[in-house]
Amino acid sequence: MAFPISYDPDPVDSAAHLIQVALTPVFMLSGIGTLINVFNTRLARVADHLEDVRKKLGGPKTDDTPVDPVDSPERLKTQQTRLHRRVFVLDAAILLNAIGGASTCGAAMALFVGSIRDASTSAWLLALFGIALACTVGSLMFFLADTLLSWHGLRRDTDLSLDAE
């Protein structure tokens, strides 16, 4: 006589595995949400700086006021170009991170549907979680690009040298 209910020889291990699987997307979404917050805050600061540069470039020029070398039109245009690049890489980081978050939600949905319908959703689960990881890594690479652009601009604008006294 066959039993219609499957018997799990170790229900504690099965429950622990279920909890681990269920918590993975939660931690991933928490990390992605934190990264998006960091990226958005940084983007807002870059946008404010870009607006200041635009105001300086578009402001009235008088012959009697001394020109600060920091505010020279050439230097401001260089800053503006660098800030536009930073906006681009931060937008890309936010976009990739959002796709990673959506993929993580999709992976959680695949887990849910798979447990409800007892269907084989492992291919979807692996694909969506793989996309989430790849997009998160990509967003961190764009964030690194923004950090390097920022560091390069800071070093160039303030002449930070390691051997300065």
Side-chain angles (χ1 to χ4, degrees), residues 7-73:
Y7 173 71
D8 188 2
D10 194 1
V12 174
D13 282 345
S14 179
H17 178 69
L18 181 64
I19 291 170
Q20 287 174 338
V21 169
L23 286 178
T24 300
V26 172
F27 288 124
M28 182 83 171
L29 281 174
S30 176
I32 287 172
T34 301
L35 285 173
I36 287 177
N37 187 27
V38 168
F39 297 161
N40 276 324
T41 301
R42 191 156 176 143
L43 181 61
R45 292 179 57 92
V46 170
D48 289 344
H49 191 85
L50 182 59
E51 186 63 30
D52 289 342
V53 168
R54 284 184 181 158
K55 284 180 184 176
K56 288 178 181 177
L57 277 172
K61 298 178 181 39
T62 58
D63 293 336
D64 57 344
T65 56
V67 177
D68 188 3
V70 174
D71 291 338
S72 70

Side-chain angles (χ1 to χ4, degrees), residues 105-160:
C105 289
M109 182 61 81
L111 276 171
F112 178 71
V113 169
S115 67
I116 295 275
R117 297 185 64 208
D118 197 27
S120 177
T121 56
S122 61
W124 281 103
L125 179 63
L126 290 173
L128 289 168
F129 200 71
I131 290 169
L133 288 175
C135 287
T136 302
V137 168
S139 71
L140 289 171
M141 296 304 289
F142 277 108
F143 184 66
L144 176 64
D146 173 63
T147 302
L148 292 173
L149 283 169
S150 173
W151 176 79
H152 175 72
L154 181 65
R155 185 174 174 115
R156 187 173 189 189
D157 292 345
T158 59
D159 191 29
L160 293 176

